[in-house]
Amino acid sequence: MLVIAAEATDGGLPFPSLSNLIEWPNLIDSIGLNKIGIIHLLSVLIPAIVFFLAGQQKGLVPTGIRTIAEGVIEFVEKQIILPAIGPDGLKYLPLLLSFFLFVFFGNITEVIPFFQMPANARMAGPLVLALVAWGMFIAVGVKHQGIGYFKEVAFPPGVPKALLPLVAFIELLSTFILRPFSHAVRLFANMLAGHILLVTFAVLCIGVASGILYILELVTFPGLVLFTAFEMFVSVIQAFVFTILAAVYIGGALHPSH
Amino acid sequence: MSLAAQVIAQTGDELKSAAAAEGAGFAYGLAAIGPGIGIGYLVGQAVQAMARQPESAGQVQTTMFLGVAFTEALALETKEDDVTIAITVDGEEILILAADEESTESGEATEAEEVPNPVIPEPAEVVWAAISFFALWALMKFVLLPPILAKRAEREEKILADREAADRATASLAEVQGEYDAALAAARTEADGIIETARNEAGDHRSGVMADANTEIAGMRADAASGLDASRTDAIDSMRGDVGDIAVAAASAVLGKDLDRGAQQGAIDAALSGGDN
Protein backbone atom coordinates (compact mmCIF):
# COMPACT_ATOMS: atom_id res chain seq x y z
CA MET A 1 0.00 0.00 0.00
CA LEU A 2 2.46 2.50 1.24
CA VAL A 3 5.33 3.21 -1.07
CA ILE A 4 8.33 4.91 0.36
CA ALA A 5 9.06 7.18 -2.50
CA ALA A 6 12.63 8.17 -1.99
CA GLU A 7 15.72 7.26 -0.07
CA ALA A 8 16.57 9.22 3.03
CA THR A 9 18.84 12.14 2.34
CA ASP A 10 20.74 14.22 4.84
CA GLY A 11 19.01 12.58 7.78
CA GLY A 12 15.64 13.42 6.27
CA LEU A 13 12.94 10.85 6.30
CA PRO A 14 11.36 9.99 2.99
CA PHE A 15 7.72 10.68 2.69
CA PRO A 16 5.57 9.32 -0.09
CA SER A 17 4.19 11.95 -2.42
CA LEU A 18 0.53 12.72 -2.18
CA SER A 19 -0.25 10.90 -5.41
CA ASN A 20 1.07 7.71 -3.87
CA LEU A 21 -1.28 8.13 -0.95
CA ILE A 22 -4.54 8.82 -2.67
CA GLU A 23 -4.31 7.73 -6.28
CA TRP A 24 -5.03 4.13 -6.97
CA PRO A 25 -4.38 2.20 -10.14
CA ASN A 26 -7.32 0.65 -11.92
CA LEU A 27 -8.06 -2.90 -10.93
CA ILE A 28 -10.22 -3.37 -13.97
CA ASP A 29 -8.89 -1.02 -16.58
CA SER A 30 -11.68 -1.21 -19.14
CA ILE A 31 -14.31 0.17 -16.74
CA GLY A 32 -12.00 2.39 -14.71
CA LEU A 33 -12.69 0.57 -11.46
CA ASN A 34 -10.08 1.16 -8.79
CA LYS A 35 -9.99 0.82 -5.00
CA ILE A 36 -12.14 3.94 -4.57
CA GLY A 37 -14.80 2.49 -6.83
CA ILE A 38 -14.69 -0.78 -4.91
CA ILE A 39 -15.20 1.10 -1.64
CA HIS A 40 -18.13 3.01 -3.14
CA LEU A 41 -19.68 -0.25 -4.31
CA LEU A 42 -19.17 -1.80 -0.90
CA SER A 43 -20.79 1.17 0.78
CA VAL A 44 -23.87 0.30 -1.24
CA LEU A 45 -23.60 -3.44 -0.81
CA ILE A 46 -23.11 -3.59 2.96
CA PRO A 47 -26.05 -1.32 3.91
CA ALA A 48 -28.17 -3.03 1.26
CA ILE A 49 -27.49 -6.47 2.74
CA VAL A 50 -28.04 -5.28 6.31
CA PHE A 51 -31.28 -3.48 5.51
CA PHE A 52 -32.51 -6.26 3.25
CA LEU A 53 -32.01 -8.89 5.96
CA ALA A 54 -33.61 -6.54 8.48
CA GLY A 55 -36.60 -6.12 6.18
CA GLN A 56 -36.95 -9.88 5.72
CA GLN A 57 -37.19 -10.50 9.44
CA LYS A 58 -40.55 -11.79 10.58
CA GLY A 59 -42.32 -10.67 13.69
CA LEU A 60 -42.85 -7.28 15.14
CA VAL A 61 -40.06 -7.22 17.69
CA PRO A 62 -36.68 -6.39 16.14
CA THR A 63 -33.76 -8.61 17.01
CA GLY A 64 -30.18 -8.80 15.81
CA ILE A 65 -29.57 -7.13 12.50
CA ARG A 66 -32.90 -5.33 12.48
CA THR A 67 -31.99 -3.61 15.75
CA ILE A 68 -28.97 -2.14 13.97
CA ALA A 69 -30.99 -1.05 10.95
CA GLU A 70 -33.75 0.49 13.03
CA GLY A 71 -31.14 2.11 15.27
CA VAL A 72 -29.53 3.85 12.29
CA ILE A 73 -32.95 4.91 10.97
CA GLU A 74 -33.88 6.23 14.39
CA PHE A 75 -30.58 8.11 14.67
CA VAL A 76 -31.07 9.82 11.32
CA GLU A 77 -34.66 10.68 12.19
CA LYS A 78 -34.14 11.90 15.75
CA GLN A 79 -30.70 13.49 15.52
CA ILE A 80 -30.66 14.81 11.97
CA ILE A 81 -34.08 15.25 10.38
CA LEU A 82 -36.17 16.42 13.32
CA PRO A 83 -33.73 19.09 14.58
CA ALA A 84 -32.68 20.29 11.11
CA ILE A 85 -35.96 20.17 9.15
CA GLY A 86 -38.80 19.17 11.46
CA PRO A 87 -41.51 16.52 11.21
CA ASP A 88 -42.30 17.34 7.57
CA GLY A 89 -38.72 16.41 6.67
CA LEU A 90 -39.29 12.73 7.48
CA LYS A 91 -40.16 12.11 3.84
CA TYR A 92 -36.52 12.78 2.95
CA LEU A 93 -35.41 9.85 5.12
CA PRO A 94 -34.30 7.63 2.19
CA LEU A 95 -32.04 10.34 0.77
CA LEU A 96 -30.56 11.45 4.09
CA LEU A 97 -30.09 7.89 5.31
CA SER A 98 -28.31 7.11 2.05
CA PHE A 99 -26.08 10.16 2.55
CA PHE A 100 -25.22 9.08 6.05
CA LEU A 101 -24.44 5.46 5.24
CA PHE A 102 -22.61 6.21 2.00
CA VAL A 103 -20.41 8.83 3.66
CA PHE A 104 -19.86 6.70 6.74
CA PHE A 105 -18.69 3.66 4.80
CA GLY A 106 -16.62 5.86 2.52
CA ASN A 107 -14.93 7.25 5.63
CA ILE A 108 -14.51 4.24 7.86
CA THR A 109 -12.40 2.35 5.30
CA GLU A 110 -9.72 4.78 6.42
CA VAL A 111 -9.01 2.57 9.43
CA ILE A 112 -10.01 -0.82 8.06
CA PRO A 113 -7.02 -3.01 7.20
CA PHE A 114 -6.49 -3.78 3.49
CA PHE A 115 -8.41 -0.66 2.55
CA GLN A 116 -6.80 1.98 4.74
CA MET A 117 -8.04 4.61 2.41
CA PRO A 118 -11.10 6.77 2.89
CA ALA A 119 -12.97 6.90 -0.39
CA ASN A 120 -14.03 10.41 0.52
CA ALA A 121 -10.42 11.58 0.50
CA ARG A 122 -10.96 11.68 -3.25
CA MET A 123 -13.05 14.55 -4.50
CA ALA A 124 -15.34 12.31 -6.60
CA GLY A 125 -17.57 10.92 -3.85
CA PRO A 126 -18.11 14.11 -1.87
CA LEU A 127 -18.68 16.09 -5.07
CA VAL A 128 -21.37 13.71 -6.31
CA LEU A 129 -23.10 13.76 -2.93
CA ALA A 130 -22.86 17.53 -2.62
CA LEU A 131 -24.30 17.96 -6.11
CA VAL A 132 -27.18 15.65 -5.26
CA ALA A 133 -27.86 17.68 -2.11
CA TRP A 134 -27.59 20.87 -4.16
CA GLY A 135 -30.03 19.65 -6.79
CA MET A 136 -32.33 18.39 -4.11
CA PHE A 137 -32.59 21.59 -2.11
CA ILE A 138 -33.12 23.69 -5.23
CA ALA A 139 -35.84 21.28 -6.37
CA VAL A 140 -37.48 21.37 -2.93
CA GLY A 141 -37.29 25.17 -2.85
CA VAL A 142 -38.85 25.57 -6.28
CA LYS A 143 -41.50 22.98 -5.55
CA HIS A 144 -42.60 24.50 -2.26
CA GLN A 145 -42.05 28.20 -2.87
CA GLY A 146 -42.13 28.42 -6.64
CA ILE A 147 -39.92 30.88 -8.40
CA GLY A 148 -40.20 33.12 -5.33
CA TYR A 149 -37.64 30.85 -3.71
CA PHE A 150 -34.83 32.53 -5.64
CA LYS A 151 -36.21 35.92 -4.69
CA GLU A 152 -36.27 34.96 -1.08
CA VAL A 153 -32.71 33.70 -1.16
CA ALA A 154 -31.52 36.84 -2.97
CA PHE A 155 -33.39 39.36 -0.82
CA PRO A 156 -33.43 38.28 2.80
CA PRO A 157 -35.83 40.35 4.90
CA GLY A 158 -34.51 43.21 6.99
CA VAL A 159 -31.68 44.32 4.74
CA PRO A 160 -31.24 48.07 4.09
CA LYS A 161 -32.22 49.03 0.54
CA ALA A 162 -28.82 50.41 -0.29
CA LEU A 163 -27.16 47.08 0.43
CA LEU A 164 -29.65 44.95 -1.47
CA PRO A 165 -27.72 44.54 -4.75
CA LEU A 166 -24.58 43.54 -2.90
CA VAL A 167 -26.43 41.18 -0.56
CA ALA A 168 -28.33 39.63 -3.45
CA PHE A 169 -25.10 38.99 -5.31
CA ILE A 170 -23.38 37.46 -2.29
CA GLU A 171 -26.38 35.38 -1.27
CA LEU A 172 -26.99 33.96 -4.73
CA LEU A 173 -23.31 33.20 -5.16
CA SER A 174 -22.92 31.56 -1.77
CA THR A 175 -26.14 29.58 -1.91
CA PHE A 176 -26.17 28.31 -5.45
CA ILE A 177 -22.53 28.27 -6.49
CA LEU A 178 -20.28 28.01 -3.47
CA ARG A 179 -22.50 25.85 -1.28
CA PRO A 180 -22.00 22.50 -3.04
CA PHE A 181 -18.30 23.22 -3.26
CA SER A 182 -17.88 23.98 0.44
CA HIS A 183 -20.19 21.08 1.30
CA ALA A 184 -18.00 18.67 -0.65
CA VAL A 185 -14.66 20.15 0.32
CA ARG A 186 -15.52 20.05 4.02
CA LEU A 187 -15.82 16.28 3.86
CA PHE A 188 -13.08 15.72 1.34
CA ALA A 189 -10.48 17.84 3.15
CA ASN A 190 -11.32 16.32 6.52
CA MET A 191 -10.83 12.81 5.27
CA LEU A 192 -7.72 13.69 3.27
CA ALA A 193 -6.21 15.37 6.33
CA GLY A 194 -7.06 12.37 8.49
CA HIS A 195 -5.56 10.02 5.97
CA ILE A 196 -2.38 12.06 5.74
CA LEU A 197 -2.21 12.22 9.52
CA LEU A 198 -2.37 8.45 9.80
CA VAL A 199 0.18 8.00 7.01
CA THR A 200 2.44 10.52 8.73
CA PHE A 201 2.42 8.57 11.95
CA ALA A 202 2.82 5.26 10.14
CA VAL A 203 5.82 6.61 8.21
CA LEU A 204 7.25 8.02 11.42
CA CYS A 205 6.87 4.65 13.13
CA ILE A 206 8.78 2.98 10.31
CA GLY A 207 11.26 5.80 9.91
CA VAL A 208 12.41 5.92 13.50
CA ALA A 209 12.71 2.16 13.86
CA SER A 210 16.51 2.14 13.81
CA GLY A 211 19.40 3.20 15.99
CA ILE A 212 19.07 5.91 18.57
CA LEU A 213 15.84 7.20 17.05
CA TYR A 214 14.13 4.04 18.23
CA ILE A 215 13.23 5.82 21.45
CA LEU A 216 10.86 8.03 19.46
CA GLU A 217 8.59 5.05 18.99
CA LEU A 218 7.38 5.90 22.49
CA VAL A 219 5.72 8.90 20.92
CA THR A 220 4.97 7.78 17.38
CA PHE A 221 3.39 4.41 18.08
CA PRO A 222 0.89 5.58 20.74
CA GLY A 223 0.25 8.51 18.42
CA LEU A 224 -0.62 6.14 15.59
CA VAL A 225 -2.98 4.14 17.80
CA LEU A 226 -4.64 7.24 19.24
CA PHE A 227 -5.09 8.89 15.88
CA THR A 228 -6.56 5.69 14.47
CA ALA A 229 -9.17 5.83 17.22
CA PHE A 230 -9.63 9.54 16.59
CA GLU A 231 -10.18 8.93 12.89
CA MET A 232 -12.91 6.42 13.65
CA PHE A 233 -14.63 9.15 15.62
CA VAL A 234 -14.04 11.64 12.81
CA SER A 235 -15.55 9.20 10.30
CA VAL A 236 -18.82 9.15 12.21
CA ILE A 237 -18.80 12.87 12.94
CA GLN A 238 -18.13 13.79 9.31
CA ALA A 239 -20.92 11.51 8.10
CA PHE A 240 -23.19 13.17 10.66
CA VAL A 241 -22.09 16.68 9.71
CA PHE A 242 -22.41 16.08 5.99
CA THR A 243 -25.91 14.67 6.41
CA ILE A 244 -27.08 17.35 8.80
CA LEU A 245 -25.80 20.07 6.45
CA ALA A 246 -27.74 18.50 3.60
CA ALA A 247 -30.78 18.40 5.89
CA VAL A 248 -30.32 22.03 6.87
CA TYR A 249 -30.10 23.06 3.21
CA ILE A 250 -33.25 21.12 2.38
CA GLY A 251 -35.00 22.47 5.47
CA GLY A 252 -34.08 26.02 4.47
CA ALA A 253 -35.63 25.48 1.06
CA LEU A 254 -38.71 23.79 2.53
CA HIS A 255 -39.60 26.52 5.00
CA PRO A 256 -39.37 30.17 3.98
CA SER A 257 -37.20 32.09 6.42
CA HIS A 258 -39.10 34.44 8.67
CA MET B 1 5.68 7.18 -11.47
CA SER B 2 8.76 5.10 -11.05
CA LEU B 3 10.71 4.92 -7.85
CA ALA B 4 13.93 5.96 -9.53
CA ALA B 5 12.32 9.03 -11.04
CA GLN B 6 11.14 10.13 -7.66
CA VAL B 7 14.53 9.57 -6.10
CA ILE B 8 16.12 11.75 -8.74
CA ALA B 9 13.41 14.30 -8.42
CA GLN B 10 13.58 14.61 -4.68
CA THR B 11 17.35 14.83 -4.54
CA GLY B 12 17.51 17.20 -7.46
CA ASP B 13 15.58 20.06 -6.03
CA GLU B 14 15.76 19.03 -2.42
CA LEU B 15 16.66 22.38 -0.93
CA LYS B 16 14.06 24.37 -2.74
CA SER B 17 11.43 21.81 -1.98
CA ALA B 18 12.31 21.71 1.69
CA ALA B 19 12.19 25.47 1.97
CA ALA B 20 8.83 25.61 0.28
CA ALA B 21 7.53 22.89 2.50
CA GLU B 22 8.70 24.64 5.61
CA GLY B 23 7.12 27.89 4.55
CA ALA B 24 3.87 26.21 3.69
CA GLY B 25 3.81 24.30 6.93
CA PHE B 26 4.37 27.49 8.84
CA ALA B 27 1.54 29.13 6.94
CA TYR B 28 -0.76 26.27 7.74
CA GLY B 29 0.18 26.47 11.38
CA LEU B 30 -0.75 30.14 11.40
CA ALA B 31 -3.97 29.44 9.57
CA ALA B 32 -4.95 26.84 12.12
CA ILE B 33 -4.75 29.29 15.02
CA GLY B 34 -7.95 31.14 14.16
CA PRO B 35 -10.23 28.14 13.73
CA GLY B 36 -8.59 26.55 16.78
CA ILE B 37 -9.62 29.49 18.94
CA GLY B 38 -13.02 29.53 17.26
CA ILE B 39 -13.74 25.86 17.88
CA GLY B 40 -12.56 26.11 21.47
CA TYR B 41 -14.81 29.09 22.12
CA LEU B 42 -17.73 27.44 20.35
CA VAL B 43 -17.52 24.16 22.23
CA GLY B 44 -16.98 25.97 25.53
CA GLN B 45 -20.11 28.04 25.01
CA ALA B 46 -22.04 24.93 23.99
CA VAL B 47 -20.97 23.13 27.16
CA GLN B 48 -22.04 26.14 29.20
CA ALA B 49 -25.41 26.21 27.46
CA MET B 50 -25.90 22.49 28.04
CA ALA B 51 -24.96 22.85 31.71
CA ARG B 52 -27.45 25.67 32.14
CA GLN B 53 -30.26 23.97 30.30
CA PRO B 54 -29.63 20.23 30.12
CA GLU B 55 -33.02 19.67 28.52
CA SER B 56 -31.90 21.57 25.42
CA ALA B 57 -28.65 19.58 25.14
CA GLY B 58 -29.72 17.78 21.95
CA GLN B 59 -30.42 20.95 20.05
CA VAL B 60 -27.30 22.67 21.34
CA GLN B 61 -25.21 19.69 20.32
CA THR B 62 -26.54 19.69 16.79
CA THR B 63 -25.94 23.40 16.43
CA MET B 64 -22.48 22.98 17.93
CA PHE B 65 -21.48 20.37 15.37
CA LEU B 66 -22.74 22.62 12.62
CA GLY B 67 -20.70 25.49 13.98
CA VAL B 68 -17.63 23.31 14.34
CA ALA B 69 -18.05 22.15 10.74
CA PHE B 70 -18.22 25.71 9.46
CA THR B 71 -15.31 26.91 11.57
CA GLU B 72 -13.18 23.95 10.68
CA ALA B 73 -13.74 24.47 7.00
CA LEU B 74 -11.69 27.68 7.21
CA ALA B 75 -8.63 25.77 8.33
CA LEU B 76 -9.18 22.95 5.89
CA GLU B 77 -9.54 25.23 2.93
CA THR B 78 -6.18 26.76 3.65
CA LYS B 79 -4.69 23.35 3.99
CA GLU B 80 -6.15 21.98 0.85
CA ASP B 81 -4.79 24.86 -1.19
CA ASP B 82 -1.43 23.96 0.06
CA VAL B 83 -1.18 20.53 1.60
CA THR B 84 2.28 20.58 3.01
CA ILE B 85 3.46 19.60 6.41
CA ALA B 86 7.01 19.63 7.58
CA ILE B 87 8.03 17.95 10.77
CA THR B 88 11.37 18.79 12.28
CA VAL B 89 13.22 17.13 15.10
CA ASP B 90 16.10 19.01 16.70
CA GLY B 91 16.09 21.55 13.95
CA GLU B 92 16.62 18.81 11.44
CA GLU B 93 13.91 18.01 9.03
CA ILE B 94 13.02 14.37 9.34
CA LEU B 95 9.82 14.43 7.44
CA ILE B 96 8.43 16.54 4.72
CA LEU B 97 4.95 16.15 3.55
CA ALA B 98 4.80 18.17 0.41
CA ALA B 99 1.79 18.07 -1.78
CA ASP B 100 1.24 21.64 -2.84
CA GLU B 101 1.46 22.54 -6.45
CA GLU B 102 4.75 24.33 -6.13
CA SER B 103 6.76 21.74 -4.27
CA THR B 104 5.49 18.80 -6.23
CA GLU B 105 6.11 20.59 -9.47
CA SER B 106 9.62 21.42 -8.49
CA GLY B 107 10.06 17.95 -7.07
CA GLU B 108 9.01 16.25 -10.23
CA ALA B 109 10.36 18.65 -12.72
CA THR B 110 12.26 15.89 -14.41
CA GLU B 111 9.11 13.96 -14.98
CA ALA B 112 6.88 15.05 -17.79
CA GLU B 113 3.79 13.75 -16.01
CA GLU B 114 1.58 16.47 -14.63
CA VAL B 115 0.46 16.00 -11.04
CA PRO B 116 -3.27 16.68 -10.77
CA ASN B 117 -4.65 18.79 -8.00
CA PRO B 118 -6.41 16.50 -5.52
CA VAL B 119 -9.47 18.76 -5.58
CA ILE B 120 -10.06 17.94 -9.23
CA PRO B 121 -12.11 14.74 -9.24
CA GLU B 122 -11.17 11.73 -11.31
CA PRO B 123 -13.91 11.20 -13.94
CA ALA B 124 -13.98 7.42 -13.55
CA GLU B 125 -14.33 7.75 -9.80
CA VAL B 126 -17.12 10.28 -10.21
CA VAL B 127 -18.96 7.82 -12.40
CA TRP B 128 -18.55 5.01 -9.88
CA ALA B 129 -19.53 7.24 -6.97
CA ALA B 130 -22.61 8.44 -8.83
CA ILE B 131 -23.67 4.93 -9.85
CA SER B 132 -23.15 3.65 -6.31
CA PHE B 133 -24.94 6.51 -4.62
CA PHE B 134 -27.94 6.55 -6.91
CA ALA B 135 -28.18 2.78 -6.54
CA LEU B 136 -28.15 3.11 -2.75
CA TRP B 137 -30.71 5.92 -2.82
CA ALA B 138 -33.06 4.02 -5.12
CA LEU B 139 -32.66 0.80 -3.14
CA MET B 140 -33.34 2.62 0.11
CA LYS B 141 -36.35 4.40 -1.25
CA PHE B 142 -38.05 1.55 -3.07
CA VAL B 143 -36.72 -1.73 -1.73
CA LEU B 144 -34.97 -1.57 1.61
CA LEU B 145 -36.76 0.99 3.74
CA PRO B 146 -40.47 0.33 3.02
CA PRO B 147 -40.68 -3.10 4.72
CA ILE B 148 -38.72 -1.94 7.75
CA LEU B 149 -40.74 1.23 8.14
CA ALA B 150 -44.00 -0.65 7.57
CA LYS B 151 -43.11 -3.17 10.22
CA ARG B 152 -42.08 -0.42 12.58
CA ALA B 153 -45.35 1.43 12.00
CA GLU B 154 -47.24 -1.81 12.53
CA ARG B 155 -45.38 -2.40 15.75
CA GLU B 156 -46.02 1.12 16.99
CA GLU B 157 -49.68 0.74 16.12
CA LYS B 158 -49.81 -2.53 17.98
CA ILE B 159 -48.06 -1.03 20.98
CA LEU B 160 -50.60 1.78 20.96
CA ALA B 161 -53.50 -0.63 20.59
CA ASP B 162 -52.09 -2.88 23.31
CA ARG B 163 -51.67 0.08 25.59
CA GLU B 164 -55.26 1.13 24.95
CA ALA B 165 -56.41 -2.43 25.56
CA ALA B 166 -54.45 -2.45 28.79
CA ASP B 167 -56.05 0.83 29.78
CA ARG B 168 -59.46 -0.59 28.97
CA ALA B 169 -58.67 -3.76 30.91
CA THR B 170 -57.60 -1.67 33.87
CA ALA B 171 -60.82 0.31 33.66
CA SER B 172 -62.95 -2.82 33.40
CA LEU B 173 -60.97 -4.35 36.24
CA ALA B 174 -61.84 -1.37 38.39
CA GLU B 175 -65.44 -1.72 37.29
CA VAL B 176 -65.55 -5.42 38.12
CA GLN B 177 -63.83 -4.73 41.39
CA GLY B 178 -66.49 -2.13 42.17
CA GLU B 179 -69.23 -4.54 41.24
CA TYR B 180 -67.66 -7.22 43.37
CA ASP B 181 -67.31 -4.84 46.27
CA ALA B 182 -70.93 -3.75 45.89
CA ALA B 183 -72.12 -7.35 45.69
CA LEU B 184 -70.01 -8.22 48.68
CA ALA B 185 -71.43 -5.31 50.64
CA ALA B 186 -74.97 -6.27 49.63
CA ALA B 187 -74.36 -9.88 50.62
CA ARG B 188 -72.93 -8.76 53.89
CA THR B 189 -75.95 -6.52 54.53
CA GLU B 190 -78.26 -9.35 53.59
CA ALA B 191 -76.44 -11.76 55.83
CA ASP B 192 -76.59 -9.26 58.63
CA GLY B 193 -80.32 -8.87 57.97
CA ILE B 194 -80.82 -12.62 57.96
CA ILE B 195 -78.89 -13.01 61.16
CA GLU B 196 -80.82 -10.15 62.71
CA THR B 197 -84.13 -11.60 61.57
CA ALA B 198 -83.16 -15.04 62.80
CA ARG B 199 -82.06 -13.58 66.05
CA ASN B 200 -85.36 -11.67 66.33
CA GLU B 201 -87.34 -14.73 65.35
CA ALA B 202 -85.46 -16.83 67.82
CA GLY B 203 -86.09 -14.20 70.48
CA ASP B 204 -89.77 -14.06 69.57
CA HIS B 205 -89.98 -17.81 69.50
CA ARG B 206 -88.33 -18.07 72.88
CA SER B 207 -90.53 -15.46 74.42
CA GLY B 208 -93.58 -17.16 72.81
CA VAL B 209 -92.55 -20.53 74.09
CA MET B 210 -91.86 -19.04 77.48
CA ALA B 211 -95.19 -17.24 77.48
CA ASP B 212 -96.96 -20.45 76.48
CA ALA B 213 -95.13 -22.34 79.18
CA ASN B 214 -95.97 -19.64 81.69
CA THR B 215 -99.59 -19.68 80.61
CA GLU B 216 -99.65 -23.42 80.81
CA ILE B 217 -98.02 -23.36 84.18
CA ALA B 218 -100.45 -20.70 85.29
CA GLY B 219 -103.34 -22.78 83.93
CA MET B 220 -102.04 -25.86 85.60
CA ARG B 221 -101.53 -23.91 88.73
CA ALA B 222 -105.05 -22.53 88.45
CA ASP B 223 -106.43 -26.01 87.71
CA ALA B 224 -104.56 -27.38 90.63
CA ALA B 225 -105.84 -24.56 92.81
CA SER B 226 -109.39 -25.03 91.64
CA GLY B 227 -109.10 -28.83 92.13
CA LEU B 228 -107.82 -28.18 95.60
CA ASP B 229 -110.70 -25.81 96.30
CA ALA B 230 -113.21 -28.29 94.95
CA SER B 231 -111.80 -31.15 96.92
CA ARG B 232 -111.66 -28.92 99.91
CA THR B 233 -115.31 -27.95 99.35
CA ASP B 234 -116.15 -31.58 98.75
CA ALA B 235 -114.28 -32.54 101.86
CA ILE B 236 -115.97 -29.77 103.81
CA ASP B 237 -119.35 -30.73 102.32
CA SER B 238 -118.90 -34.39 103.06
CA MET B 239 -117.46 -33.55 106.40
CA ARG B 240 -120.39 -31.26 107.06
CA GLY B 241 -122.76 -33.98 106.08
CA ASP B 242 -120.99 -36.57 108.16
CA VAL B 243 -120.48 -34.20 111.06
CA GLY B 244 -124.11 -33.16 110.75
CA ASP B 245 -125.22 -36.75 110.73
CA ILE B 246 -122.98 -37.63 113.65
CA ALA B 247 -123.97 -34.53 115.57
CA VAL B 248 -127.67 -35.09 114.94
CA ALA B 249 -127.31 -38.72 115.82
CA ALA B 250 -125.39 -37.80 118.92
CA ALA B 251 -127.80 -35.14 119.89
CA SER B 252 -130.74 -37.51 119.30
CA ALA B 253 -129.11 -40.04 121.45
CA VAL B 254 -128.52 -37.43 124.13
CA LEU B 255 -131.96 -35.94 123.90
CA GLY B 256 -133.68 -39.23 123.40
CA LYS B 257 -135.72 -37.97 120.52
CA ASP B 258 -135.46 -37.68 116.86
CA LEU B 259 -134.22 -34.38 115.79
CA ASP B 260 -135.12 -32.93 112.41
CA ARG B 261 -131.92 -33.17 110.34
CA GLY B 262 -132.84 -30.23 108.21
CA ALA B 263 -133.66 -28.02 111.11
CA GLN B 264 -130.38 -28.63 112.79
CA GLN B 265 -128.19 -28.03 109.75
CA GLY B 266 -127.93 -24.26 110.40
CA ALA B 267 -126.61 -24.83 113.84
CA ILE B 268 -124.11 -27.36 112.59
CA ASP B 269 -122.88 -25.04 109.86
CA ALA B 270 -122.43 -22.30 112.38
CA ALA B 271 -120.50 -24.60 114.58
CA LEU B 272 -118.36 -25.78 111.70
CA SER B 273 -117.52 -22.33 110.38
CA GLY B 274 -116.80 -21.27 113.93
CA GLY B 275 -114.60 -24.27 114.16
CA ASP B 276 -113.05 -23.32 110.89
CA ASN B 277 -112.30 -19.88 111.99
Side-chain angles (χ1 to χ4, degrees):
Chain A
M1 305 280 151
L2 190 67
V3 180
I4 304 298
E7 294 300 316
T9 50
D10 302 337
L13 197 84
F15 194 88
S17 78
L18 192 62
S19 333
N20 287 54
L21 299 184
I22 56 171
E23 279 169 16
W24 298 91
N26 285 343
L27 297 171
I28 306 170
D29 223 3
S30 56
I31 52 169
L33 185 67
N34 60 4
K35 193 194 239 185
I36 307 299
I38 301 265
I39 292 172
H40 283 323
L41 288 178
L42 278 178
S43 33
V44 176
L45 204 61
I46 296 170
I49 290 172
V50 168
F51 278 74
F52 181 74
L53 289 180
Q56 291 303 106
Q57 211 176 76
K58 298 269 176 279
L60 288 180
V61 181
T63 53
I65 209 158
R66 194 159 130 218
T67 322
I68 300 171
E70 287 201 5
V72 176
I73 293 174
E74 186 120 344
F75 172 76
V76 172
E77 282 183 347
K78 296 263 158 71
Q79 302 295 322
I80 295 177
I81 297 181
L82 289 182
I85 309 180
D88 52 351
L90 288 175
K91 58 175 178 265
Y92 303 110
L93 176 69
L95 175 67
L96 294 171
L97 186 65
S98 304
F99 273 147
F100 183 76
L101 291 170
F102 196 79
V103 174
F104 173 73
F105 280 101
N107 289 349
I108 200 69
T109 45
E110 182 179 13
V111 294
I112 293 177
F114 307 113
F115 289 109
Q116 283 171 325
M117 167 71 202
N120 293 327
R122 299 293 284 153
M123 194 58 179
L127 189 70
V128 167
L129 299 184
L131 286 177
V132 170
W134 178 75
M136 191 70 190
F137 82 73
I138 292 178
V140 168
V142 171
K143 187 182 165 196
H144 286 267
Q145 301 177 41
I147 216 73
Y149 170 59
F150 295 102
K151 218 177 92 189
E152 198 199 281
V153 170
F155 308 114
V159 176
K161 276 223 160 54
L163 283 176
L164 266 183
L166 185 66
V167 169
F169 175 71
I170 292 173
E171 283 292 325
L172 286 175
L173 188 73
S174 76
T175 304
F176 296 115
I177 313 242
L178 297 180
R179 193 180 264 185
F181 182 72
S182 73
H183 197 188
V185 162
R186 185 172 293 113
L187 174 62
F188 156 74
N190 257 301
M191 296 330 290
L192 179 62
H195 184 54
I196 290 172
L197 192 68
L198 290 185
V199 170
T200 306
F201 271 89
V203 167
L204 277 176
C205 279
I206 299 166
V208 299
S210 67
I212 186 76
L213 282 176
Y214 215 104
I215 194 128
L216 288 175
E217 290 281 356
L218 285 176
V219 180
T220 56
F221 186 68
L224 181 59
V225 173
L226 281 180
F227 276 113
T228 303
F230 178 68
E231 285 307 318
M232 291 181 198
F233 171 71
V234 166
S235 296
V236 181
I237 286 293
Q238 285 308 318
F240 176 64
V241 165
F242 188 91
T243 315
I244 204 165
L245 279 172
V248 165
Y249 295 157
I250 292 173
L254 193 59
H255 310 291
S257 58
H258 309 294
Chain B
M1 78 196 67
S2 72
L3 193 83
Q6 276 203 341
V7 175
I8 296 164
Q10 296 216 343
T11 46
D13 240 334
E14 183 75 24
L15 273 175
K16 191 182 165 195
S17 167
E22 202 162 5
F26 187 66
Y28 178 65
L30 278 184
I33 292 174
I37 295 170
I39 291 177
Y41 184 74
L42 205 160
V43 176
Q45 293 288 313
V47 168
Q48 209 170 50
M50 285 189 232
R52 285 189 180 174
Q53 269 179 307
E55 67 275 7
S56 71
Q59 209 180 350
V60 171
Q61 205 170 30
T62 307
T63 318
M64 183 189 83
F65 278 128
L66 271 179
V68 169
F70 282 123
T71 316
E72 195 183 42
L74 296 175
L76 290 170
E77 265 146 41
T78 323
K79 187 172 190 171
E80 160 251 315
D81 280 346
D82 192 321
V83 189
T84 303
I85 298 169
I87 294 175
T88 54
V89 172
D90 294 336
E92 225 177 323
E93 219 146 75
I94 60 159
L95 183 129
I96 302 164
L97 165 55
D100 60 317
E101 242 18 94
E102 198 187 340
S103 57
T104 39
E105 259 172 37
S106 58
E108 294 173 15
T110 47
E111 217 171 334
E113 189 191 326
E114 188 189 331
V115 174
N117 189 328
V119 182
I120 309 297
E122 192 80 25
E125 287 173 7
V126 171
V127 171
W128 280 111
I131 290 173
S132 310
F133 181 73
F134 284 110
L136 182 63
W137 186 10
L139 278 174
M140 276 294 168
K141 190 161 177 135
F142 299 113
V143 182
L144 299 173
L145 274 181
I148 297 179
L149 292 182
K151 226 164 261 177
R152 191 177 67 166
E154 196 185 329
R155 184 177 70 226
E156 269 158 16
E157 224 162 73
K158 188 170 186 310
I159 288 173
L160 212 67
D162 285 358
R163 198 170 285 159
E164 267 167 23
D167 284 350
R168 273 201 304 277
T170 313
S172 69
L173 176 71
E175 204 174 295
V176 168
Q177 182 81 42
E179 272 170 21
Y180 168 75
D181 282 348
L184 196 66
R188 222 166 249 162
T189 319
E190 204 183 326
D192 284 352
I194 289 169
I195 290 171
E196 190 63 31
T197 319
R199 195 173 280 157
N200 289 344
E201 273 174 10
D204 288 353
H205 189 65
R206 197 177 68 167
S207 48
V209 167
M210 275 172 72
D212 285 356
N214 284 342
T215 321
E216 207 172 319
I217 290 167
M220 278 159 77
R221 200 175 274 161
D223 284 355
S226 61
L228 203 60
D229 281 352
S231 40
R232 188 198 273 161
T233 315
D234 284 354
I236 287 171
D237 282 351
S238 75
M239 197 175 71
R240 197 176 61 177
D242 289 350
V243 169
D245 288 347
I246 293 165
V248 170
S252 303
V254 170
L255 293 175
K257 67 172 190 182
D258 270 350
L259 287 177
D260 181 23
R261 175 77 174 81
Q264 299 313 313
Q265 192 62 45
I268 293 162
D269 281 351
L272 273 177
S273 50
D276 268 355
N277 295 334

